Amino acid sequence: QAQLVESGGGMVQAGGSLRLSCAASGLAFHMATMGWFRQAPGKGRDFVAALSSNGINTLYADSVKGRFTISRDNAKNTVYLQMNSLQFEDTAVYSCAAGPSFRANAAAYSYWGQGTQVTVSS
């Protein structure tokens, strides 16, 4: 059945970079909008980025615009989140999600990964 598995999280100093990956299986990846969300300690889940099924259209939260880049490789059923100029405030559990429509709202997504921890030290 549908499964999303994130990887690439870890610890990095402020100003550094990480690339997250999300491998999808059991779904029509090439037809799905893919999104990244994050949840910081003690806070709710926030939208980070979304990418349309054709890999052309993107949405970014204002807090990450210009620093993060979402991309996908439909041949590998994988979506990526390149995170540059990381800040302490980016510390969170990052989850990928798949859904039928191009939206920033978490309610629009049907499938979710387990999340991967990103910790940015100051």
Side-chain angles (χ1 to χ4, degrees):
Q1 206 53 39
Q3 187 173 13
L4 303 175
V5 180
E6 302 95 334
S7 62
M11 300 181 188
V12 64
Q13 289 193 272
S17 298
L18 284 174
R19 188 177 77 155
L20 306 182
S21 299
C22 173
S25 61
L27 57 85
F29 181 83
H30 64 287
M31 298 179 65
T33 292
M34 299 299 298
W36 286 96
F37 295 79
R38 67 187 183 185
Q39 187 166 16
K43 304 186 70 176
R45 177 177 287 164
D46 291 331
F47 170 76
V48 176
L51 182 62
S52 60
S53 60
N54 62 9
I56 299 300
N57 302 112
T58 59
L59 291 171
Y60 293 99
D62 287 342
S63 59
V64 307
K65 200 170 299 180
R67 300 188 298 118
F68 291 11
T69 303
I70 187 171
S71 62
R72 67 193 294 159
D73 186 340
N74 284 357
K76 297 181 178 179
N77 287 358
T78 301
V79 64
Y80 305 94
L81 185 68
Q82 178 67 45
M83 305 185 294
N84 298 328
S85 301
L86 282 162
Q87 305 163 1
F88 174 77
E89 294 78 12
D90 296 316
T91 296
V93 174
Y94 285 71
S95 300
C96 67
S101 58
F102 184 56
R103 298 285 188 274
N105 194 315
Y109 293 83
S110 302
Y111 304 103
W112 294 82
Q114 83 288 348
T116 186
Q117 177 70 47
V118 171
T119 302
V120 183
S121 61
S122 58

